[in-house]
Amino acid sequence: MSFQMSMEVERKFLCNADTLKTLEKIGAVCVGQRQFSDQYFDTPKFDLTLKDVWLRKRKGCWELKCPATVDGTEEMNGEQSKAAALCTRYMEITNLPEIQQRVKEVIKDMCEDRETETSSSQEDESWLSKMNLVCFAEFTTVRRSFTLEEEVVQIDLDQADFGYHVGEIEVLVPEGGDVQSALEKIERTAQKLGLTGDQRVEGKMNVYLKRNNPEHYARLLSEHVL
């Protein structure tokens, strides 16, 4: 059975004191503020994250983010490819049996010797120890979310409890949807926000690992995951 997945196309940016004023000026509507804690899991050898696969638990629910395969038929000019390079694209899976299956495939070398029984219950976490998964990062974020209706984008301003502030412009693309259109919406929104620069902005996880687990961070850098 195959589950419908959506792709998150996202561009991060650094917020400053003027960001809220700019959002107001361009007509972005605040749709609420919430706080959530994330726990991220991997094997002690970083089998998942070294393949750019991110398993997390947020508000009691499991999510798996895997790199999205890019359709080779996408034709981009120089400006488009520059804009695309500033964005990340991940498939997000929220169905627990599907998550467990994907994780098992990634770490199958470790699980070959023993068949891992998995459970579809959110509460039963015995599958974590069976797959040798441990929590390597845990932090809390306060998020203010805005929508820009004409572009159908969401803009999040995140403040992590380890002292890092970052913004995200995000478009969700259904499986098989138009990624190029999403990239164009993000680029137009970035221009409205006055964002400049051609360097990707670091996400919360990059900064968390750099500060708290430099060995893990260095491995991910050496494999060009970060």
Side-chain angles (χ1 to χ4, degrees), residues 146-165:
F146 300 80
T147 57
L148 197 58
E149 287 185 8
E150 76 241 39
E151 297 292 3
V152 202
V153 301
Q154 179 161 313
I155 301 162
D156 294 325
L157 304 184
D158 283 358
Q159 181 175 350
D161 62 1
F162 52 89
Y164 186 57
H165 294 236

Side-chain angles (χ1 to χ4, degrees), residues 11 13 19 22-23 26-28 83 146-156 168-171 181-196:
R11 175 173 168 176
F13 64 94
T19 304
T22 308
L23 283 167
I26 67 172
F146 300 80
T147 57
L148 197 58
E149 287 185 8
E150 76 241 39
E151 297 292 3
V152 202
V153 301
Q154 179 161 313
I155 301 162
D156 294 325
E168 298 173 349
I169 306 167
E170 180 186 288
V171 177
S181 166
L183 290 167
E184 286 164 8
K185 288 174 184 175
I186 289 172
E187 177 59 19
R188 285 196 296 269
T189 305
Q191 287 173 1
K192 288 176 185 173
L193 286 169
L195 302 182
T196 54

